[in-house]
Amino acid sequence: MSPKTLYDKIWDAHVAHEAEDGTCLLYIDRHLVHEVTSPQAFEGLRMTGRTVRRPEQTIAVPDHNVPTTLDRANAETMTEDSRIQVAALDKNAKDFGLHYYPVSDVRQGIVHIVGPEQGWTLPGMTVVCGDSHTATHGAFGALAHGIGTSEVEHVLATQTLIQKKSKNMKVEITGKLRPGVTAKDITLSVIGATGTAGGTGYVIEYCGEAIRDLSMEGRMTVCNMAIEGGARAGLIAPDEKTFEYCKGRPHAPKGAQWEAALEWWKTLYSDDDAQWDAVITLKGEDIAPVVTWGTSPEDVLPITAVVPAADSFEGGKVGAAQRSLDYMDLTPGTPLSDINIDTVFIGSCTNGRIEDLRAAAEILKGKKKKDGLRAMVVPGSGLVRAQAEEEGLAQIFIDAGFEWRLAGCSMCLAMNPDQLAPGERCAATSNRNFEGRQGRGGRTHLMSPAMAAAAAITGKLTDVRDLM
Amino acid sequence: MDKFTTLSGIAAPLPLVNIDTDMIIPKQFLKTIKRSGLGVNLFDEMRYDDDRNEIADFVLNQTKYRDAQILVAGDNFGCGSSREHAPWAIKDFGITCVIAPSFADIFYNNCFKNGILPIALPQDQVDVLMKDAENGSNARIEVDLEAQTITSSDGDTFSFEVDSFKKHCLINGLDDIGLTMEKAASIDTFEAEAAQSRPWV
Ligand code: SF4
């Protein structure tokens, strides 16, 4: 048999039909649904008299619009149009018989955190969701990617997706990470190296010692941002850590089925002599704690660097960099660690898991946020929140002066009440620093949870290693 | 779905790289449960000031580009989220063809589901068309999907690549779901086999 990559193996196991031109119907094992990108798809089903082919493989949870304040059970906390969207999901989940975690359920949270937590995401699966950060699930060795609403409707109706195969890219992170460097720094550094379009047309497999050493939470952070590098999906081969994480989860297989699954999962790796269309290698020890300075995730630099000048770039990027500098109100040559911030946001599907909260709490323990700064922690799910309370992390955040919120997407995209005011500058653990992403005129610097915690203490972008 | 065969229209120039889906349609407009009516909010934050007055310099606010049917833009157009609201807004405005050196994957696919043709061309050819677009309504660009060609107002003709299946669907206005349902037997067979080989799914 010819050697295969992990992507080849998962792909081959899911082709339900292949046309002569290579267009395939890829069978979808798990379909995750949230309230923003699905109403028009369900409307489409109703209009054509179609139904959901496999409701038992379809999981729905509201997250984008949901307020994260403690009083959110009060309907007044949501705007009329948000309420309508969430109500539409309630109704669609019920009418079509989907697995559903409503706002009132302790298991509710960001769709990409809930899926793995409940054991819906498992190695070797195909997972899709009408959300670009579906790439997160690739951390399990699942082929996972975001789709548009028309494709959501297609998957609901047929449990398949029309696809052509992507190319294979290997991103290897060799050696060990230095202290203070996290999964977020890896994934941002990779985008810094490839650019936001560098992965277009590829599925990326992340590998190497530094990736193997990451926990499942860290691996999810890495894969989450594969989309920011333009890739269709990110993958990490499953190993003992993956199996350990999955074992015993509510929807993971049990008994003899677990053993059978495990046997297959252990075959899910790229063969030694597999062919790659592109290979990128970074040394783990070269990666520093990084922050973004501009309005594209590729605008990333070590915290020890200075704000770059627009003319240090080439081609169309010169204009884009100038636009970023203007929008971010930054002067070239300013040390990044001199930039004052107004707000700290810890959360999102990139960094809203328990390990992220532990890393931030570790830095904040016994310290206080800078006076006048707004700081919030938004756990990625109700269960993450409960665990953080049990471990005493919540108290550390509260003592440090942070708001301790309920689960949701929150200030990652400002579709809910959590938003930046125009000109407000935020240290954020989320994944996008686009213009207006966190609120019109808001300025976002992306970083790891530990770096965001450090920024909260000093009130400016800070090298976390100085506080360790 | 609307068919796309040929188009002769005014092209609006938007020479920025990395135009993301938050720029195309900001998140506050994603709260709709409908597909229609998003055209007025296309590029909302670039198009209107804080008091909702039109910003005169923005390309789509200029008289000569109000009826643009083509958009010419920089590299990596449509990066960011999977929101299909981005092509819905573009279509609702009246634009049915976007030309750029490259596109983000999900946005590119979403276009075809909505009767929009995204065309990726080498940078130097995009530069020619960008110049053309800057001439406003004096320049009409011609797109022929069947022939896979695009012709500038000066008669420069470039050919472009498009996936044969996507082309077929766009030219004939075909509904993907209907086509897939014709292959239901293959899906049934796949499911029956998977129930044996991967029963835990
Ligand atoms: S946390 Fe942010 S990136 Fe993740 S699903 Fe929610 S809005 Fe999207």
Side-chain angles (χ1 to χ4, degrees):
Chain A
M1 247 184 356
S2 62
K4 288 180 175 185
T5 63
L6 171 57
Y7 170 50
D8 298 338
K9 289 180 184 178
I10 304 175
W11 175 272
D12 291 350
H14 289 86
V15 175
H17 181 271
E18 180 163 358
E20 275 168 23
D21 71 347
T23 303
C24 292
L25 279 184
L26 196 68
Y27 191 80
I28 302 303
D29 294 324
R30 293 286 181 264
H31 186 189
L32 310 176
V33 174
H34 66 80
E35 80 279 19
V36 180
T37 55
S38 65
Q40 294 86 350
F42 287 108
E43 183 196 53
L45 290 185
R46 285 200 178 87
M47 274 163 36
T48 48
R50 290 172 179 145
T51 179
V52 177
R53 184 178 170 104
R54 299 299 296 263
E56 70 280 14
Q57 288 169 219
T58 312
I59 298 98
V61 59
D63 53 6
H64 286 60
N65 277 279
V66 175
T68 60
T69 43
L70 301 182
D71 62 348
R72 76 174 176 198
N74 173 1
E76 298 297 307
T77 56
M78 261 197 264
T79 59
E80 176 73 9
D81 40 8
S82 289
R83 217 165 25 235
I84 291 172
Q85 234 175 24
V86 173
L89 188 66
D90 284 340
K91 176 166 167 39
N92 288 328
K94 189 157 160 276
D95 287 1
F96 290 97
L98 317 181
H99 292 279
Y100 189 48
Y101 304 98
V103 179
S104 56
D105 193 311
V106 68
R107 296 166 298 177
Q108 178 271 344
I110 305 169
V111 62
H112 308 307
I113 293 193
V114 173
E117 201 167 68
Q118 293 299 319
W120 290 115
T121 307
L122 297 169
M125 283 185 165
T126 44
V127 181
V128 295
C129 174
D131 189 282
S132 55
H133 291 97
T134 311
T136 313
H137 308 263
F140 291 78
L143 177 59
H145 56 83
I147 54 178
T149 299
S150 295
E151 290 177 318
V152 169
E153 187 178 338
H154 191 278
V155 176
L156 288 171
T158 69
Q159 205 59 33
T160 64
L161 202 56
I162 301 172
Q163 286 273 296
K164 271 208 174 153
K165 206 172 166 201
S166 303
K167 291 180 285 184
N168 281 289
M169 180 189 287
K170 173 159 101 168
V171 173
E172 186 175 14
I173 316 292
T174 61
K176 300 270 180 208
L177 298 179
R178 294 190 187 274
V181 179
T182 68
K184 185 64 164 288
D185 301 298
I186 295 182
T187 203
L188 282 170
S189 299
V190 170
I191 298 161
T194 60
T196 46
T200 305
Y202 291 96
V203 164
I204 294 177
E205 181 175 340
Y206 300 94
C207 61
E209 187 183 353
I211 298 289
R212 290 272 133 241
D213 284 352
L214 293 174
S215 64
M216 286 312 295
E217 283 85 353
R219 294 178 189 183
M220 283 188 254
T221 302
V222 170
C223 289
N224 173 276
M225 291 193 72
I227 183 70
E228 257 60 61
R232 173 160 294 173
L235 281 172
I236 294 175
D239 61 9
E240 287 304 324
K241 277 186 200 167
T242 322
F243 309 145
E244 195 50 44
Y245 180 100
C246 295
K247 198 166 187 178
R249 303 243 159 215
H251 296 279
K254 315 251 163 0
Q257 289 215 348
W258 171 263
E259 295 306 325
L262 203 56
E263 199 181 319
W264 186 56
W265 294 346
K266 287 183 174 169
T267 68
L268 297 176
Y269 52 82
S270 291
D271 297 328
D272 283 342
D273 39 2
Q275 293 297 311
W276 299 94
D277 301 295
V279 177
I280 287 171
T281 308
L282 263 67
K283 284 193 190 141
E285 50 271 26
D286 287 351
I287 299 175
V290 291
V291 295
T292 60
W293 55 268
T295 55
S296 165
E298 71 190 19
D299 299 338
V300 61
L301 282 171
I303 179 67
T304 48
V306 299
V307 175
D311 58 16
S312 64
F313 296 92
E314 282 171 9
K317 187 69 194 172
V318 177
Q322 189 56 53
R323 191 182 162 95
S324 283
L325 290 171
D326 294 344
Y327 182 86
M328 295 296 287
D329 191 27
L330 293 174
T331 313
T334 311
L336 292 171
S337 56
D338 281 356
I339 298 173
N340 291 317
I341 52 156
D342 309 302
T343 300
V344 173
F345 166 61
I346 298 177
S348 87
C349 59
T350 317
N351 285 124
R353 284 169 287 268
I354 190 69
E355 188 185 85
D356 302 312
L357 304 195
R358 286 184 196 135
E362 177 74 29
I363 302 296
L364 288 167
K365 200 168 186 173
K367 303 218 170 70
K368 291 242 177 284
K369 72 166 173 74
K370 174 113 174 149
D371 270 350
L373 186 104
R374 168 158 77 132
M376 63 167 90
V377 183
V378 186
S381 72
L383 293 179
V384 169
R385 182 178 151 93
Q387 190 178 348
E389 288 181 344
E390 209 178 287
E391 293 183 14
L393 308 179
Q395 201 56 49
I396 295 175
F397 290 122
I398 293 166
D399 291 345
F402 276 68
E403 289 177 57
W404 177 241
R405 295 295 192 96
L406 297 176
C409 292
S410 183
M411 210 188 260
C412 175
L413 94 165
M415 266 191 86
N416 48 69
D418 306 340
Q419 306 191 6
L420 294 183
E424 197 175 344
R425 191 180 293 281
C426 181
T429 65
S430 44
N431 44 53
R432 290 199 172 129
N433 50 353
F434 298 159
E435 287 181 21
R437 170 77 179 182
Q438 294 194 281
R440 185 171 180 151
R443 300 179 177 131
T444 304
H445 295 275
L446 302 175
M447 63 196 72
S448 72
M451 287 282 285
I457 296 168
T458 62
K460 50 188 190 155
L461 302 185
T462 298
D463 192 336
V464 64
R465 293 169 296 192
D466 298 342
L467 299 185
M468 284 166 61
Chain B
M1 189 183 72
D2 292 343
K3 293 180 184 182
F4 186 109
T5 49
T6 57
L7 172 67
S8 164
I10 298 166
L14 201 54
L16 289 174
V17 298
N18 295 332
I19 292 177
D20 60 66
T21 52
D22 278 84
M23 280 159 118
I24 299 171
I25 184 87
K27 69 224 107 250
Q28 60 270 32
F29 305 108
L30 309 190
K31 295 190 181 187
T32 172
I33 55 170
K34 302 253 172 293
R35 286 179 157 97
S36 54
L38 288 164
V40 287
N41 303 114
L42 175 67
F43 294 115
D44 197 85
E45 293 185 358
M46 296 157 91
R47 217 162 130 201
Y48 305 102
D49 67 16
D50 290 341
D51 301 321
R52 309 283 320 149
N53 296 314
E54 286 188 0
I55 297 170
D57 310 343
F58 184 67
V59 60
L60 298 181
N61 290 335
Q62 298 170 22
T63 319
K64 56 187 176 188
Y65 294 117
R66 284 189 189 264
D67 297 322
Q69 290 171 280
I70 300 170
L71 190 66
V72 188
D75 217 5
N76 200 26
F77 188 90
C79 60
S81 93
S82 64
R83 62 187 69 161
E84 201 160 317
H85 308 70
W88 293 337
I90 289 174
K91 183 77 192 280
D92 196 57
F93 180 89
I95 291 171
T96 52
C97 175
V98 185
I99 300 165
S102 71
F103 292 86
D105 186 43
I106 303 176
F107 175 84
Y108 185 80
N109 282 322
N110 282 342
C111 283
F112 287 95
K113 316 281 180 192
N114 292 284
I116 301 172
L117 175 65
I119 301 178
L121 290 176
Q123 184 73 53
D124 56 327
Q125 298 179 3
V126 173
D127 291 344
V128 170
L129 297 169
M130 188 72 79
K131 272 246 147 353
D132 217 18
E134 280 160 8
N135 293 327
S137 41
N138 297 327
R140 293 186 87 80
I141 291 179
E142 316 250 345
V143 181
D144 185 338
L145 176 54
E146 181 56 58
Q148 296 182 213
T149 57
I150 179 157
T151 307
S152 76
S153 58
D154 292 334
D156 294 317
T157 297
F158 308 121
S159 40
F160 60 86
E161 297 283 319
V162 59
D163 175 81
S164 54
F165 176 73
K166 290 192 167 86
K167 175 178 171 180
H168 172 71
C169 290
L170 207 50
I171 287 184
N172 297 293
L174 296 178
D175 159 29
D176 275 358
I177 299 178
L179 287 177
T180 298
M181 286 190 147
E182 290 170 11
K183 306 199 182 83
S186 302
I187 304 173
D188 292 342
T189 309
F190 181 91
E191 274 180 347
E193 284 169 13
Q196 298 297 317
S197 61
R198 298 185 299 132
W200 61 86
V201 176

